Amino acid sequence: MDVRARIRADGTSVFPRFLDLAYPNVDRGDGVWLTTTDGRRILDASSGGAMVTCLGYGVEEIAAAAQTQAGRIAYFYNHHFTSEPQERLAERMLDVVAPEMARVRFVSGGSEANETALQLARLYHVESGRSERWRVISPAQAYHGSTMATLALSGRPHLQEPYGPYLSPHLHIPPSTWRQDPTGSAALEALDRAIERAGPDTVAAFFCEPISAAALPAYSPPERFWLGLDERRREHGFLICFDEVVTGMGRTGTWLAAHQIPIEPDIVAVGKTLGAGYAPLGAVLCRSHVYEAIERGSRGFDLGHTWDGAPLSTAVGLAVVDALQTRGLVARVRERGPSLLDELREALSGSEIVKEVRGRGFLLGFELVDPRDGESVLPDELDAASLVDDTAFEQGVLVTSTHPQADGFAGDQTLLAPAYVSSDQELSQMVERVAATIADVERTVKQRLGGA
Ligand code: PLP
């Protein structure tokens, strides 16, 4: 066993994400606690760092479901066969998670789900005799995945470099945050301009996170924007695709975040919490008119991936949905979310570097600002996001921060996404440790800004 506490690029055969980082070496997880190989216990406030492990670590019933299914049959290609776990999980998704949807396609993760959603939107138009429709309009400050097609769906130049030559020229609108557009009217005007520029008959879909995750934690546009978007869908005939890779499966207190938004998507992608970190799993759900276009048309949506709907991963998904249902965890998130937000707001209320604390269910976040005016984003070179994550680790809590200054729409932000099973005491401890982290970061930031 490799027991080194930290592993650096020059001491590993792994191709790490960042070659200058020394990665802590995780040994095991138990509930919402992580243990590193040097025996440090870290409270996980971001569900595995990527908003995934909604049930916590070491859940025996999920491990047992995986073991049983692996013993029976772990894998078969869904080009040739279907299987009981795939059939039952699809049924359960439509019964429990999204009764408004008609069909489900399983994939292995969020990027695959979004890319499949995009292909489905395109196919819907082609099969309906409108093959000129291909362009997508989406909010710029977003993250939809790391494949070339999904990378093109966000409008963040810094994220897209150096892959620009491979990315389709979709159109983007700025986010309607307090900083740029608090009412949502500028976003609607930008949407109108984008539709005009693309040519209304070429627009296939509007693609967005209904409630944003890491790119703008817990942010959702004002109601006016959603109502305006719905009007434009009716007028121009494009589809609305929701990326619920993070928000799906109860993260914001309802099975889908769409259930809190005054507009019904045509296609929804989920991921992360569907496999809960026990199997790579995602899904695309569509409404009946989307399915029927293909049913009436070519009768094939053949593009797929080797692991789509495999017995092992769908058996895990089924066990996850069972656990969410039998333990009433979506209701727990809905009921506990507002007081968790209050606690976080209260704990950060004295900070001069925190501007807005947002939250929906167990998806929370806050923005960091320059203490010299309480409003501007912090200087890029400070990289306050990394400062927060590193300090939090020292304080024994895992959070996820982003540093998108170079894209021009937002500054440093921190996201909290605790497991749904976190106890009240654990949630309070997370809040305390985050507040201690921010107090520490505030001192460092002020020092670096020259004693402001
Ligand atoms: N969409 C959102 C909102 C995400 O946060 C992510 C990943 O963080 C993805 C899509 C991509 O999912 P994956 O990394 O599973 O491909």
Side-chain angles (χ1 to χ4, degrees):
M1 184 178 152
D2 191 339
V3 294
R4 287 174 294 169
R6 296 239 177 202
I7 297 185
R8 297 174 184 279
D10 57 6
T12 175
S13 303
V14 172
F15 197 144
R17 285 192 169 214
F18 294 102
L19 275 58
D20 288 331
L21 289 191
Y23 287 89
N25 194 353
V26 71
D27 178 32
R28 54 197 302 275
D30 177 18
V32 296
W33 293 88
L34 296 162
T35 307
T36 55
T37 48
D38 58 346
R40 290 203 58 194
R41 298 248 300 154
I42 310 289
L43 187 52
D44 182 356
S46 62
S47 291
M51 307 145 271
V52 171
T53 55
C54 59
L55 300 173
Y57 303 104
V59 180
E60 280 179 12
E61 73 220 59
I62 312 291
Q67 188 178 16
T68 305
Q69 188 60 49
R72 190 184 300 265
I73 179 164
Y75 177 77
F76 215 95
Y77 191 27
N78 74 353
H79 186 79
H80 302 284
F81 282 88
T82 187
S83 66
E84 195 207 347
Q86 171 167 246
E87 294 295 325
R88 284 182 57 209
L89 181 57
E91 228 174 82
R92 195 72 74 79
M93 296 292 285
L94 299 184
D95 281 352
V96 176
V97 178
E100 67 278 18
M101 294 285 157
R103 296 282 170 156
V104 189
R105 169 72 62 92
F106 294 109
V107 293
S108 298
S111 303
E112 283 189 6
N114 281 334
E115 183 137 353
T116 302
L118 184 63
Q119 289 164 348
L120 186 54
R122 165 74 181 153
L123 192 61
Y124 163 81
H125 290 298
V126 171
E127 302 265 353
S128 309
R130 296 186 291 266
S131 55
E132 66 284 4
R133 288 188 182 269
W134 67 275
R135 289 192 114 148
V136 179
I137 303 175
S138 58
Q141 181 60 26
Y143 180 72
H144 298 295
S146 62
T147 61
M148 294 306 170
T150 54
L151 200 52
L153 295 176
S154 84
R156 295 166 58 187
H158 197 66
L159 195 68
Q160 294 173 335
E161 279 167 12
Y163 309 107
Y166 303 115
L167 306 181
S168 290
H170 296 307
L171 296 149
H172 306 289
I173 60 172
S176 39
T177 55
W178 61 268
R179 187 172 265 122
Q180 271 132 340
D181 169 33
T183 65
S185 58
L188 279 177
E189 284 162 21
L191 177 59
D192 285 335
R193 283 195 301 276
I195 293 171
E196 209 37 57
R197 201 160 79 238
D201 293 343
T202 71
V203 180
F206 185 85
F207 210 105
C208 67
E209 297 169 77
I211 300 173
S212 302
L216 278 172
Y219 156 83
S220 188
E223 181 166 301
R224 174 168 176 195
F225 175 78
W226 295 118
L227 300 177
L229 175 63
D230 207 10
E231 277 167 25
R232 284 150 183 84
R233 164 171 60 179
R234 280 196 298 276
E235 187 183 342
H236 299 298
F238 53 79
L239 296 183
I240 292 178
C241 301
F242 273 4
D243 172 352
E244 295 226 29
V245 167
V246 170
T247 56
M249 311 307 294
R251 168 61 62 197
T252 63
T254 44
W255 282 102
L256 295 181
H259 301 153
Q260 299 175 35
I261 307 288
I263 184 172
E264 289 185 345
D266 302 284
I267 299 175
V268 170
V270 300
K272 310 259 188 194
T273 39
L274 180 56
Y278 291 83
L281 184 61
V284 179
L285 300 99
C286 70
R287 294 172 74 89
S288 54
H289 56 278
V290 176
Y291 178 75
E292 283 159 12
I294 289 134
E295 190 181 37
R296 280 194 306 268
S298 71
R299 301 187 64 79
F301 179 36
D302 185 34
L303 278 179
H305 315 92
T306 299
W307 270 86
D308 287 356
L312 178 58
S313 44
T314 49
V316 167
L318 200 52
V320 169
V321 177
D322 274 346
L324 293 173
Q325 270 195 288
T326 53
R327 298 198 213 167
L329 288 171
V330 180
R332 151 109 178 129
V333 170
R334 182 166 57 248
E335 282 150 24
R336 188 61 175 81
S339 57
L340 180 60
L341 175 61
D342 288 346
E343 282 171 42
L344 186 65
R345 281 194 171 138
E346 172 67 28
L348 297 175
S349 61
S351 173
E352 289 173 46
I353 59 165
V354 172
K355 169 72 179 175
E356 189 173 62
V357 185
R358 296 183 291 255
R360 295 262 194 149
F362 277 15
L363 179 63
L364 301 100
F366 52 88
E367 269 185 58
L368 300 185
V369 287
D370 192 320
R372 293 173 295 191
D373 65 5
E375 208 166 290
S376 311
V377 299
L378 282 160
D380 197 17
E381 61 279 8
L382 267 187
D383 190 3
S386 298
L387 208 53
V388 170
D389 286 1
D390 293 347
T391 311
F393 189 79
E394 291 312 314
Q395 294 282 347
V397 64
L398 188 76
V399 296
T400 295
S401 303
T402 45
H403 177 66
Q405 269 87 331
D407 296 316
F409 303 105
D412 297 285
Q413 301 168 91
T414 295
L415 171 140
L416 274 71
Y420 309 168
V421 295
S422 312
S423 68
D424 284 341
Q425 202 194 0
E426 286 162 339
L427 292 172
S428 298
Q429 256 179 300
M430 288 175 198
V431 169
E432 269 168 37
R433 291 182 186 195
V434 167
T437 299
I438 292 304
D440 200 332
V441 169
E442 183 169 337
R443 278 189 292 276
T444 310
V445 163
K446 284 180 170 173
Q447 256 168 22
R448 294 199 187 160
L449 291 175

